[in-house]
Amino acid sequence: GAVVSQHPSRVICKSGTSVKIECRSLDFQATTMFWYRQFPKQSLMLMATSNEGSKATYEQGVEKDKFLINHASLTLSTLTVTSAHPEDSSFYICSARDNQENQPQHFGDGTRLSIL
Amino acid sequence: AQSVTQLDSHVSVSEGTPVLLRCNYSSSYSPSLFWYVQHPNKGLQLLLKYTSAATLVKGINGFEAEFKKSETSFHLTKPSAHMSDAAEYFCVVSLSYNTDKLIFGTGTRLQVFP
């Protein structure tokens, strides 16, 4: 089956640090990947859609300069949380959709980000 | 516009008894519907999907769901709960021709007691 690998699984760092999260599709090509944020006991909120070779599309209210997205290949997208602060602490999940038509999104295992 | 409502935030069952997780949707166009499961501190795993083929959809781990257009429902069922089924379950809707925009329900936490 389709596997999406997300790394790291957990990050603890000081306020002001920039943190990079990687999302890889291991056995399929994904022109489009997605970044979600999940607050405790809540559902997933789409932050941005990552497009290979072009700029990401951000949802309303998401700061693109704060959450930098790079999608340099058909199997890798990265999310960098720049100058992270405690309010950025959250569970970040990526997903990827196989380039074939009508394929569902497959999710990574998420990254627990804790900013001290 | 599309929306999805999960009617129960928590469901508790005993091991070996049936599971029913309820989901109602609203969509202006032909929808695709999904159920995902999330175990603690993990991502989401696809259980099953409906994409305008058979209305009764069988998924992994013995789960199935039935698309009922007249009731705008897509309830998830399993005949016999297992302890390992304890998790958070999300009902998700998207347009059938564009699965990029997923609309998530608020989730149902399933507890399974021995």
Side-chain angles (χ1 to χ4, degrees), chain A residues 32 34 36 38 41-46 49 59 91 93 97 102-110 112, chain B residues 34 36 38 41-46 49 51 88 90 96-102 104-107 109:
Chain A
T32 307
F34 307 88
Y36 295 85
Q38 185 178 31
K41 301 187 186 302
Q42 293 189 29
S43 189
L44 276 69
M45 181 185 72
L46 179 65
T49 302
E59 296 300 301
F91 193 55
I93 306 177
R97 181 175 57 76
N102 295 324
Q103 293 298 311
Q105 292 183 27
H106 298 278
F107 289 80
D109 275 350
R112 173 74 58 195
Chain B
F34 310 84
Y36 284 89
Q38 184 181 32
N41 294 309
K42 291 289 188 180
L44 276 67
Q45 180 185 21
L46 180 66
K49 63 177 180 178
T51 54
E88 188 86 17
F90 292 97
S96 61
Y97 56 86
N98 180 3
T99 55
D100 284 359
K101 287 286 188 181
L102 298 182
F104 286 81
T106 50
R109 180 161 297 277

Side-chain angles (χ1 to χ4, degrees), chain B residues 11-52:
Chain B
V11 170
S12 297
V13 300
S14 297
E15 190 175 23
T17 63
V19 176
L20 170 64
L21 305 183
R22 298 183 294 166
C23 173
N24 286 94
Y25 71 92
S26 173
S27 179
S28 303
Y29 300 96
S30 178
S32 286
L33 291 155
F34 310 84
W35 276 98
Y36 284 89
V37 61
Q38 184 181 32
H39 289 91
N41 294 309
K42 291 289 188 180
L44 276 67
Q45 180 185 21
L46 180 66
L47 283 177
L48 49 81
K49 63 177 180 178
Y50 165 78
T51 54
S52 75

